[in-house]
Amino acid sequence: MVRHSIFLFVVLYILFVACGCGEDSKQTSLYFPDTLPSELSVKKTLSKDENLKKLQLVSKSKGVSPEEWKEMEKNKIDDSQINRYYAMERTGSSGFETSIDMIDSKREGIRRRLAWARIFKNANISVSQDEASYLPLSKINLQNSITIGNRNNAKWTIVEWSDFNCSFCRKSHPASSAIRKKYGKDIFWIRKDYPLESDTREGLLALSVMRCVHFERPELYWQSLDSIYELKRFSIHTLEEKLEAGSLPQNTIKLCTSEESIARFEKVVQMDHSEAVSLGVGSIPTILVNGRFVVGALDLISFEKILKATFP
């Protein structure tokens, strides 16, 4: 009786492992693209006859219609999987959706797009690019821009829209800084201002002062970024303290925190903001890597995956 029980247990265990019934097995088999295809990309992919034929053949082999297959994939997606992409795709100037209905709609959209991404992967269908998510560098105004690196020899051109008064930008900054240090000789980096409060003196203050610092001492601007991102409250006094601690010359600090200088560079910051809005940038941090938009805070691992995916 004991031998029979042991034998039965071993058989059940083998079947359990072989069929991949364990949660770990299920998780490792799931496909998680670095970024999800947009709704427009999905529609463009499905509009091609050759893709529809592939989709119909594979779904038929599974004994379901393409629509049934889509619903099956959607039903497999839980909240933890949606959360992988939700944080990267927040909307609104504050980084958060403004209503429960908008949040629900956003999460359902992610569920739908992830389902299609997995179906396309399974059916070996290449996803059509959404031209709206691509922006050539020629559309970026480089006049008066904050840049670092050699434009002519760069493997990656990166445009970053950010604000010192943005918690998600603060979270993303260490990864951006690490990327510049690690890949500096291969990157042409363009930093653009996107004030969350573009109509107030307080909302423009830090960006305006730092614009002046870059104009006067570009190399010290990049050295000062870490300390400025550490600030949670911005005033002339706190900015002066941070810049002084960063070894900026007193005459530069005095000049850049003067009323005349702040008023002058406020206009430059507002020009950056207006340009961003015209290009469709609606939240920060947003980066453009070799023409491809990525929205949301990034860690170093995610950033390096994006560099790999956009390698020329």
Side-chain angles (χ1 to χ4, degrees), residues 233-292:
R233 299 181 66 181
F234 298 95
S235 66
I236 295 295
H237 177 67
T238 58
L239 286 166
E240 285 177 338
E241 283 188 332
K242 281 293 185 181
L243 293 175
E244 187 175 347
S247 300
L248 260 74
Q250 279 295 330
N251 61 332
T252 301
I253 296 174
K254 184 177 180 180
L255 170 65
C256 290
T257 53
S258 67
E259 281 294 320
E260 181 181 356
S261 173
I262 291 171
R264 173 189 173 189
F265 285 99
E266 273 182 355
K267 296 177 182 177
V268 181
V269 172
Q270 288 172 326
M271 287 173 61
D272 260 9
H273 182 258
S274 297
E275 178 195 32
V277 173
S278 71
L279 295 173
V281 178
S283 61
I284 52 174
T286 290
I287 63 168
L288 187 74
V289 185
N290 283 353
R292 299 294 174 188

XYZ file of all heavy atoms in Angstrom, residues 233-292:
459
model
N 12.140 71.431 -2.236
C 11.538 72.764 -2.222
C 12.512 73.737 -2.881
O 13.711 73.726 -2.583
C 11.225 73.202 -0.796
C 10.232 72.301 -0.084
C 9.932 72.773 1.321
N 9.239 74.052 1.308
C 8.866 74.701 2.406
N 9.141 74.195 3.597
N 8.229 75.847 2.327
N 11.982 74.574 -3.769
C 12.851 75.449 -4.549
C 12.627 76.910 -4.181
O 11.505 77.409 -4.183
C 12.587 75.244 -6.047
C 12.895 73.851 -6.520
C 11.891 72.899 -6.586
C 14.187 73.486 -6.866
C 12.167 71.611 -7.007
C 14.474 72.201 -7.293
C 13.463 71.263 -7.360
N 13.737 77.553 -3.877
C 13.739 78.991 -3.608
C 15.117 79.498 -4.003
O 16.044 78.706 -4.243
C 13.482 79.277 -2.124
O 14.568 78.799 -1.342
N 15.263 80.807 -4.063
C 16.576 81.376 -4.384
C 17.609 80.881 -3.376
O 18.727 80.499 -3.737
C 16.525 82.923 -4.370
C 15.602 83.445 -5.486
C 17.924 83.500 -4.531
C 16.096 83.157 -6.875
N 17.206 80.842 -2.105
C 18.133 80.448 -1.050
C 18.587 78.993 -1.194
O 19.789 78.693 -1.122
C 17.473 80.662 0.322
C 18.327 80.224 1.471
N 19.508 80.857 1.796
C 18.173 79.194 2.371
C 20.053 80.250 2.837
N 19.261 79.250 3.204
N 17.641 78.065 -1.383
C 18.016 76.640 -1.481
C 18.845 76.377 -2.732
O 19.778 75.561 -2.717
C 16.765 75.740 -1.492
O 15.902 76.110 -2.587
C 16.005 75.848 -0.191
N 18.537 77.072 -3.821
C 19.315 76.886 -5.049
C 20.738 77.432 -4.880
O 21.711 76.802 -5.316
C 18.619 77.581 -6.220
C 17.362 76.878 -6.755
C 16.577 77.810 -7.667
C 17.728 75.595 -7.493
N 20.850 78.576 -4.234
C 22.180 79.143 -3.983
C 23.018 78.196 -3.133
O 24.207 77.992 -3.412
C 22.046 80.500 -3.279
C 21.596 81.623 -4.197
C 21.400 82.927 -3.446
O 21.199 82.879 -2.205
O 21.437 83.992 -4.097
N 22.404 77.600 -2.112
C 23.124 76.662 -1.245
C 23.644 75.453 -2.022
O 24.794 75.040 -1.862
C 22.218 76.190 -0.106
C 22.039 77.186 1.020
C 21.301 76.567 2.190
O 20.509 75.630 1.959
O 21.525 77.020 3.333
N 22.778 74.877 -2.857
C 23.164 73.693 -3.620
C 24.263 74.016 -4.631
O 25.213 73.253 -4.807
C 21.950 73.117 -4.352
C 21.036 72.291 -3.475
C 21.726 71.006 -3.008
C 20.788 70.112 -2.224
N 21.472 68.878 -1.743
N 24.133 75.154 -5.307
C 25.134 75.530 -6.302
C 26.466 75.864 -5.647
O 27.536 75.540 -6.175
C 24.627 76.715 -7.124
C 23.422 76.416 -8.018
C 22.929 77.698 -8.694
C 23.759 75.369 -9.072
N 26.402 76.471 -4.485
C 27.637 76.783 -3.745
C 28.318 75.498 -3.290
O 29.549 75.374 -3.373
C 27.305 77.663 -2.543
C 28.545 78.171 -1.820
C 28.206 79.145 -0.711
O 27.048 79.611 -0.655
O 29.103 79.438 0.095
N 27.517 74.528 -2.833
C 28.078 73.239 -2.419
C 28.689 72.498 -3.607
O 29.585 71.667 -3.437
C 26.989 72.375 -1.777
N 28.189 72.805 -4.808
C 28.718 72.179 -6.016
C 29.909 72.913 -6.596
O 30.302 72.649 -7.735
N 30.469 73.838 -5.838
C 31.696 74.561 -6.213
C 31.523 75.501 -7.400
O 32.469 75.760 -8.144
C 32.831 73.557 -6.504
O 33.100 72.768 -5.365
N 30.298 75.984 -7.619
C 30.121 76.996 -8.653
C 30.687 78.324 -8.162
O 30.539 78.661 -6.976
C 28.630 77.169 -8.987
C 28.159 76.455 -10.254
C 28.068 74.957 -9.993
C 26.834 77.007 -10.728
N 31.318 79.076 -9.031
C 31.864 80.378 -8.633
C 30.754 81.294 -8.125
O 29.637 81.278 -8.640
C 32.467 80.914 -9.940
C 32.685 79.706 -10.791
C 31.602 78.750 -10.435
N 31.084 82.098 -7.133
C 30.097 82.982 -6.533
C 29.519 83.972 -7.537
O 28.322 84.292 -7.485
C 30.731 83.739 -5.367
C 30.809 82.958 -4.069
C 29.431 82.646 -3.509
O 28.476 83.397 -3.708
N 29.315 81.508 -2.829
N 30.356 84.434 -8.465
C 29.848 85.405 -9.436
C 28.816 84.764 -10.376
O 27.846 85.417 -10.783
C 30.995 86.025 -10.234
C 31.783 84.987 -11.028
O 31.850 83.823 -10.653
N 32.387 85.424 -12.121
N 28.980 83.462 -10.679
C 28.012 82.758 -11.527
C 26.703 82.556 -10.772
O 25.610 82.747 -11.326
C 28.566 81.388 -11.981
O 29.779 81.589 -12.715
C 27.561 80.657 -12.858
N 26.814 82.176 -9.496
C 25.615 81.975 -8.671
C 24.836 83.282 -8.537
O 23.608 83.315 -8.696
C 25.995 81.443 -7.277
C 26.640 80.055 -7.397
C 24.761 81.371 -6.369
C 27.179 79.514 -6.074
N 25.558 84.370 -8.272
C 24.915 85.665 -8.091
C 24.219 86.102 -9.382
O 23.085 86.607 -9.360
C 25.958 86.707 -7.674
C 25.366 88.076 -7.365
C 26.452 89.048 -6.878
C 25.840 90.411 -6.578
N 26.879 91.364 -6.094
N 24.897 85.893 -10.501
C 24.324 86.282 -11.796
C 23.062 85.473 -12.101
O 22.029 86.037 -12.493
C 25.360 86.063 -12.906
C 24.848 86.200 -14.345
C 24.415 87.628 -14.623
C 25.922 85.759 -15.340
N 23.124 84.143 -11.913
C 22.032 83.258 -12.343
C 20.822 83.295 -11.415
O 19.749 82.821 -11.793
C 22.552 81.830 -12.482
S 23.678 81.632 -13.881
N 20.989 83.821 -10.212
C 19.842 83.936 -9.303
C 19.308 85.374 -9.256
O 18.458 85.698 -8.429
C 20.219 83.488 -7.880
O 21.378 84.205 -7.438
C 20.507 81.989 -7.846
N 19.805 86.238 -10.155
C 19.321 87.614 -10.210
C 17.968 87.658 -10.925
O 17.648 86.799 -11.748
C 20.321 88.502 -10.957
O 20.382 88.134 -12.329
N 17.166 88.651 -10.597
C 15.843 88.804 -11.201
C 15.936 88.954 -12.720
O 15.126 88.387 -13.465
C 15.140 90.031 -10.607
C 14.544 89.789 -9.238
C 13.395 88.779 -9.286
O 12.590 88.824 -10.240
O 13.321 87.940 -8.383
N 16.925 89.681 -13.170
C 17.086 89.911 -14.609
C 17.366 88.593 -15.342
O 16.776 88.308 -16.387
C 18.229 90.903 -14.852
C 18.433 91.219 -16.326
C 19.601 92.182 -16.540
O 20.194 92.657 -15.532
O 19.916 92.456 -17.719
N 18.258 87.793 -14.780
C 18.617 86.524 -15.406
C 17.443 85.546 -15.392
O 17.161 84.870 -16.393
C 19.815 85.892 -14.686
O 20.071 84.603 -15.186
N 16.753 85.466 -14.253
C 15.610 84.546 -14.140
C 14.535 84.904 -15.161
O 14.000 84.028 -15.850
C 15.043 84.571 -12.706
C 16.045 83.936 -11.739
C 13.707 83.827 -12.641
C 15.687 84.089 -10.272
N 14.230 86.189 -15.289
C 13.221 86.627 -16.256
C 13.644 86.287 -17.687
O 12.826 85.880 -18.518
C 12.987 88.132 -16.118
N 14.923 86.430 -17.961
C 15.445 86.143 -19.307
C 15.311 84.668 -19.657
O 14.824 84.316 -20.735
C 16.915 86.567 -19.374
C 17.612 86.165 -20.659
C 19.109 86.416 -20.567
N 19.821 85.893 -21.727
C 21.142 85.833 -21.818
N 21.904 86.263 -20.813
N 21.717 85.338 -22.906
N 15.702 83.807 -18.727
C 15.721 82.380 -19.043
C 14.364 81.709 -18.832
O 14.144 80.598 -19.333
C 16.820 81.676 -18.238
C 18.198 81.963 -18.778
C 19.001 82.929 -18.184
C 18.665 81.289 -19.887
C 20.262 83.213 -18.692
C 19.930 81.567 -20.404
C 20.731 82.534 -19.805
N 13.463 82.383 -18.125
C 12.086 81.871 -18.053
C 11.497 81.738 -19.457
O 10.791 80.771 -19.765
C 11.207 82.831 -17.232
C 11.223 82.560 -15.752
C 10.291 83.513 -15.018
O 9.726 84.417 -15.669
O 10.126 83.355 -13.794
N 11.786 82.709 -20.308
C 11.256 82.704 -21.670
C 11.803 81.515 -22.461
O 11.090 80.901 -23.258
C 11.610 84.013 -22.368
C 10.965 85.241 -21.730
C 11.414 86.516 -22.418
C 10.799 87.740 -21.747
N 11.276 89.013 -22.370
N 13.068 81.174 -22.228
C 13.679 80.028 -22.920
C 13.029 78.729 -22.450
O 12.730 77.841 -23.252
C 15.201 79.987 -22.664
C 15.834 78.811 -23.398
C 15.857 81.295 -23.100
N 12.798 78.618 -21.142
C 12.157 77.426 -20.582
C 10.745 77.269 -21.146
O 10.320 76.164 -21.529
C 12.112 77.508 -19.042
C 11.280 76.363 -18.463
C 13.535 77.468 -18.472
N 10.009 78.361 -21.211
C 8.640 78.315 -21.738
C 8.620 77.949 -23.220
O 7.689 77.287 -23.690
C 7.949 79.656 -21.498
C 7.593 79.880 -20.032
C 7.093 81.286 -19.750
O 7.537 82.252 -20.379
N 6.175 81.409 -18.805
N 9.646 78.338 -23.956
C 9.755 77.948 -25.361
C 9.934 76.437 -25.480
O 9.346 75.801 -26.362
C 10.923 78.680 -26.034
C 10.663 80.159 -26.304
S 12.137 81.034 -26.915
C 12.454 80.130 -28.433
N 10.747 75.869 -24.603
C 10.917 74.412 -24.582
C 9.582 73.717 -24.321
O 9.250 72.719 -24.955
C 11.908 74.012 -23.480
C 13.306 73.727 -24.034
O 13.529 74.012 -25.226
O 14.159 73.234 -23.271
N 8.840 74.260 -23.363
C 7.552 73.660 -23.006
C 6.574 73.738 -24.168
O 5.883 72.758 -24.490
C 6.974 74.356 -21.777
C 5.683 73.765 -21.311
N 4.461 74.345 -21.580
C 5.409 72.622 -20.609
C 3.501 73.601 -21.056
N 4.046 72.550 -20.471
N 6.508 74.879 -24.827
C 5.597 75.040 -25.964
C 5.962 74.085 -27.089
O 5.082 73.487 -27.737
C 5.641 76.490 -26.473
O 5.181 77.380 -25.481
N 7.254 73.939 -27.328
C 7.703 73.010 -28.373
C 7.294 71.578 -28.030
O 6.802 70.831 -28.882
C 9.225 73.082 -28.528
C 9.763 72.109 -29.577
C 11.265 71.910 -29.483
O 11.815 71.971 -28.359
O 11.880 71.669 -30.533
N 7.479 71.188 -26.767
C 7.135 69.828 -26.337
C 5.655 69.546 -26.564
O 5.286 68.478 -27.069
C 7.500 69.641 -24.870
N 4.806 70.493 -26.194
C 3.363 70.320 -26.374
C 3.022 70.165 -27.852
O 2.213 69.319 -28.240
C 2.598 71.521 -25.765
C 1.115 71.443 -26.107
C 2.785 71.548 -24.246
N 3.679 70.940 -28.700
C 3.408 70.866 -30.141
C 3.857 69.533 -30.732
O 3.328 69.086 -31.752
C 4.106 72.016 -30.870
O 5.517 71.830 -30.902
N 4.830 68.880 -30.079
C 5.329 67.589 -30.559
C 4.551 66.413 -29.974
O 4.831 65.257 -30.305
C 6.820 67.440 -30.199
C 7.773 68.423 -30.886
C 9.183 68.283 -30.312
C 7.795 68.204 -32.394
N 3.607 66.705 -29.092
C 2.789 65.649 -28.509
C 3.285 65.120 -27.183
O 2.752 64.139 -26.662
N 4.303 65.761 -26.598
C 4.774 65.342 -25.277
C 3.770 65.834 -24.242
O 3.534 67.036 -24.120
C 6.180 65.913 -24.976
C 6.627 65.513 -23.573
C 7.180 65.431 -26.021
N 3.173 64.898 -23.497
C 2.117 65.272 -22.566
C 2.414 64.964 -21.128
O 1.645 65.317 -20.231
N 3.527 64.270 -20.850
C 3.886 63.950 -19.474
C 5.391 63.736 -19.403
O 6.062 63.559 -20.433
C 3.150 62.692 -18.996
O 3.492 61.576 -19.799
N 5.917 63.767 -18.204
C 7.354 63.571 -18.017
C 7.599 62.583 -16.872
O 6.730 62.409 -16.011
C 8.074 64.920 -17.735
C 7.383 65.676 -16.589
C 8.180 65.738 -18.986
C 8.118 66.941 -16.165
N 8.766 61.934 -16.881
C 9.825 62.060 -17.881
C 9.456 61.390 -19.199
O 8.830 60.338 -19.204
C 11.012 61.346 -17.227
C 10.382 60.329 -16.318
C 9.131 60.975 -15.801
N 9.841 62.030 -20.284
C 9.731 61.453 -21.622
C 11.102 61.530 -22.266
O 11.772 62.561 -22.171
C 8.714 62.225 -22.478
O 7.395 61.981 -21.994
C 8.778 61.773 -23.939
N 11.525 60.438 -22.894
C 12.776 60.473 -23.641
C 12.505 60.009 -25.064
O 11.570 59.251 -25.322
C 13.884 59.605 -22.993
C 13.486 58.122 -22.981
C 14.242 60.098 -21.608
C 14.646 57.210 -22.628
N 13.324 60.506 -25.964
C 13.271 60.128 -27.371
C 14.619 59.507 -27.695
O 15.648 60.184 -27.628
C 13.015 61.368 -28.225
C 12.754 61.158 -29.713
C 11.349 60.583 -29.929
C 12.892 62.479 -30.467
N 14.638 58.220 -28.001
C 15.894 57.509 -28.273
C 15.925 57.124 -29.743
O 15.138 56.287 -30.192
C 16.031 56.255 -27.394
C 17.399 55.599 -27.612
C 15.836 56.598 -25.923
N 16.817 57.747 -30.492
C 16.900 57.523 -31.943
C 15.523 57.605 -32.600
O 15.152 56.787 -33.444
C 17.565 56.178 -32.249
C 19.078 56.242 -32.085
O 19.639 57.311 -31.863
N 19.737 55.101 -32.190
N 14.759 58.598 -32.151
C 13.464 58.860 -32.767
C 12.290 58.127 -32.160
O 11.151 58.362 -32.559
N 12.537 57.244 -31.180
C 11.464 56.467 -30.577
C 11.134 57.000 -29.183
O 12.014 57.162 -28.344
C 11.852 54.984 -30.466
C 12.132 54.343 -31.809
C 10.893 54.266 -32.657
N 11.166 53.771 -33.997
C 10.282 53.750 -34.978
N 9.062 54.198 -34.773
N 10.600 53.293 -36.164
